[in-house]
Amino acid sequence: MIKILYAGSPEPACESLKILFEKQKECGFQIVGVLSNPPSAKGRHKDLIPTPVAAFAAEKGLPVFTPEHLDSDCRAQIQPLGANLLVSFAYGHIFGPKFLAMFDRGGMNLHPSLLPKYRGCTPVPAAILNRDSETAVTVQTLALGMDEGDILAQEIVELNGSETSQSLLDYSAKKGADLICSLLEKVSALPEGEKLSGHPQSGDASYTGIIKKEDGKIDWSEDGLKIEAKIRAYFPEPGCWCMEKGLTLRILSASFIADEDERALVYKSEAFGKVLAFVKAEGIYIKVKGGILCARILQRQGKKEMGYKDFMNGARDFIGTQLE
């Protein structure tokens, strides 16, 4: 039987783990342990909170390892599990040669992009920001270089321009878990100690980096399509925001209406960032380059997020405001 060490940290990786955990018997493998990032301090009291993956694993009674470094001490703790295959999704660390050598069946990594495009830690926001027409859910072999492994399975995902990072990651987590299950069945059919082989990546590689809170700051002079894509790409984290009379205002959902549309044409000469109108059937109009942004979900500093109708009930003076 294939014995798996699962490595992952955030919520999407937890969703994949849940699916794999439920399909262990059906697909003929066993998850013998979980590797995740250390707990992080959150909230007013800086309580240490485990990652979603670590929390789920602990709930199910799986051994959980949260080392700062994948050093000899870490390897000594994991070795007794007898895991012969490493499965990774958004773990956040590159595995060294000594660590990978512990798994005689090799390793596989779930990566939500059309590799070699968008290697790195933020491939989903990158595809949305660039308004790509397609992306992919890819399972690759684990290699020493970042996301450089051979491709074991890859499914194209068509994009229609309405996706958020959350919705696309949710889909990738579920589809990726299904692809991994299919691959594990192939691994089980191989002779003892053999690894599943894939095909090398082809084409030019590109890389993505860490997204910071300040990246979500809205520049109202930017093209409206770019702002709309940024709102989708940065939902739920870090979120897109601007300043309203000295306080933070987050815009969590919006659509773009181009100047060619008669709804936007009347506002063509208004200043970028000006709150133009409340349209009950659509949202709150804000002037942007090339048209208007129609905001649908907003959140004022210290308040909960609201749909535009509820938001306007407590913001009677919002129309005419100049956002910064």
Side-chain angles (χ1 to χ4, degrees):
M1 177 180 285
I2 302 299
K3 293 184 177 181
I4 291 173
L5 176 71
Y6 184 89
S9 296
E11 188 60 43
C14 184
E15 290 305 309
S16 292
L17 174 59
K18 289 177 181 177
I19 295 170
L20 293 173
F21 186 83
E22 292 299 322
K23 291 188 174 184
Q24 289 181 96
K25 291 183 179 179
E26 175 187 339
C27 296
F29 63 88
Q30 180 186 3
I31 300 172
V32 295
V34 163
L35 183 65
S36 195
N37 281 335
S40 55
K42 295 181 180 178
R44 183 181 302 174
H45 302 292
K46 300 298 180 182
D47 296 324
L48 290 177
I49 306 299
T51 68
V53 165
F56 174 78
E59 176 189 321
K60 296 301 181 181
L62 294 170
V64 180
F65 304 90
T66 58
E68 291 282 354
H69 306 286
L70 300 178
D71 53 18
S72 58
D73 289 339
C74 173
R75 296 195 299 273
Q77 293 176 42
I78 290 173
Q79 192 80 53
L81 296 175
N84 51 17
L85 181 70
L86 176 61
V87 174
S88 175
F89 179 22
Y91 172 49
H93 299 273
I94 293 178
F95 302 104
K98 291 181 180 178
F99 193 88
L100 291 177
M102 292 194 296
F103 308 94
D104 63 3
R105 295 284 191 158
M108 56 180 69
N109 177 58
L110 172 57
H111 191 75
S113 88
L114 188 57
L115 286 173
K117 195 174 186 180
Y118 306 139
R119 292 173 178 173
C121 58
T122 54
V124 169
I128 295 174
L129 283 171
N130 290 326
R131 301 197 293 277
D132 291 348
S133 61
E134 64 179 18
T135 185
V137 181
T138 303
V139 183
Q140 58 177 159
T141 59
L142 278 166
L144 297 179
M146 182 183 291
D147 301 322
E148 294 180 1
D150 292 346
I151 293 174
L152 297 169
Q154 190 171 68
E155 179 162 315
I156 302 296
V157 180
E158 302 293 333
L159 302 179
N160 60 25
S162 67
E163 298 83 5
T164 65
S165 281
Q166 183 173 58
S167 67
L168 196 47
L169 278 168
D170 286 346
Y171 176 82
S172 298
K174 295 170 184 175
K175 175 53 64 176
D178 290 340
L179 291 176
I180 288 170
C181 282
S182 297
L183 291 169
L184 290 173
E185 291 177 352
K186 294 180 180 180
V187 174
S188 297
L190 294 174
E192 190 75 23
E194 280 198 21
K195 301 176 182 179
L196 202 62
S197 60
H199 63 271
Q201 298 179 33
S202 60
D204 295 331
S206 61
Y207 291 85
T208 63
I210 295 172
I211 297 172
K212 302 175 184 177
K213 180 181 177 181
E214 51 265 34
D215 294 329
K217 176 72 165 67
I218 296 173
D219 178 354
W220 292 109
S221 66
E222 282 189 328
D223 182 82
L225 273 175
K226 185 174 181 179
I227 294 174
E228 186 272 339
K230 183 183 285 190
I231 290 169
R232 291 187 293 111
Y234 293 167
F235 180 81
E237 295 296 338
C240 277
W241 56 277
C242 61
M243 300 303 294
E244 177 207 358
K245 298 176 181 177
L247 297 176
T248 301
L249 175 69
R250 296 182 58 174
I251 299 179
L252 306 175
S253 176
S255 60
F256 174 69
I257 302 173
D259 274 337
E260 291 73 21
D261 191 298
E262 61 181 14
R263 291 172 295 173
L265 197 58
V266 66
Y267 301 111
K268 196 166 185 178
S269 62
E270 296 286 356
F272 299 146
K274 184 177 179 180
V275 182
L276 304 168
F278 166 51
V279 182
K280 195 171 183 180
E282 292 184 279
I284 299 169
Y285 286 0
I286 305 170
K287 179 60 183 173
V288 293
K289 184 177 180 180
I292 55 179
L293 191 75
C294 182
R296 295 200 175 99
I297 302 177
L298 307 93
Q299 183 179 19
R300 274 178 163 161
Q301 184 174 320
K303 306 293 184 180
K304 65 179 182 179
E305 63 183 64
M306 297 181 182
Y308 64 92
K309 294 179 183 178
D310 290 334
F311 180 88
M312 286 302 300
N313 286 336
R316 298 292 183 182
D317 60 345
F318 190 53
I319 304 303
T321 300
Q322 182 64 49
L323 302 175
E324 299 176 356

